Amino acid sequence: KSRFAPRADMLKITLYSPPECHLSEPLLEQLLPLIEGRAEIEIVDVEQSVALERRYGLKIPVLVADDVELSTYPLDRSRVERYLETPAR
């Protein structure tokens, strides 16, 4: 697991991805400027959990927030924006 910009008061978005995924890198490049100062990202290695591999399978990389899938690759910017603009959960 790794985190960027961790703060307790920020929204949290989780990226489920295998290590060195060629699709995760461009997704993160687009995502990070979008969430800067608004949310933190946690990267979870799906290869460390059979349950996660089964759940997300071929959809990885997958962005999840509050148990809702926000995006796979390519990044669904509008859906992520809507999540970020939603009032506090």
Side-chain angles (χ1 to χ4, degrees):
K1 292 184 181 184
S2 63
R3 293 178 157 194
F4 300 99
R7 275 186 16 204
D9 61 335
M10 289 189 133
L11 299 172
K12 180 179 157 188
I13 297 174
T14 303
L15 173 63
Y16 293 101
S17 174
E20 300 180 28
C21 174
H22 71 283
L23 297 176
S24 293
E25 291 179 22
L27 188 140
L28 278 172
E29 286 175 10
Q30 295 172 24
L31 178 67
L32 291 176
L34 186 65
I35 67 168
E36 187 174 0
R38 301 163 74 184
E40 70 177 57
I41 183 82
E42 178 179 21
I43 302 171
V44 176
D45 177 0
V46 295
E47 292 180 354
Q48 299 302 312
S49 167
V50 173
L52 289 175
E53 285 183 326
R54 287 184 182 146
R55 182 173 182 180
Y56 296 115
L58 296 175
K59 294 193 290 186
I60 54 176
V62 180
L63 283 175
V64 176
D66 297 325
D67 293 320
V68 175
E69 290 183 24
L70 296 178
S71 182
T72 58
Y73 181 84
L75 179 64
D76 186 339
R77 293 180 63 88
S78 62
R79 189 150 188 212
V80 172
E81 280 285 354
R82 285 194 304 275
Y83 169 76
L84 293 170
E85 293 167 0
T86 301
R89 288 139 203 51

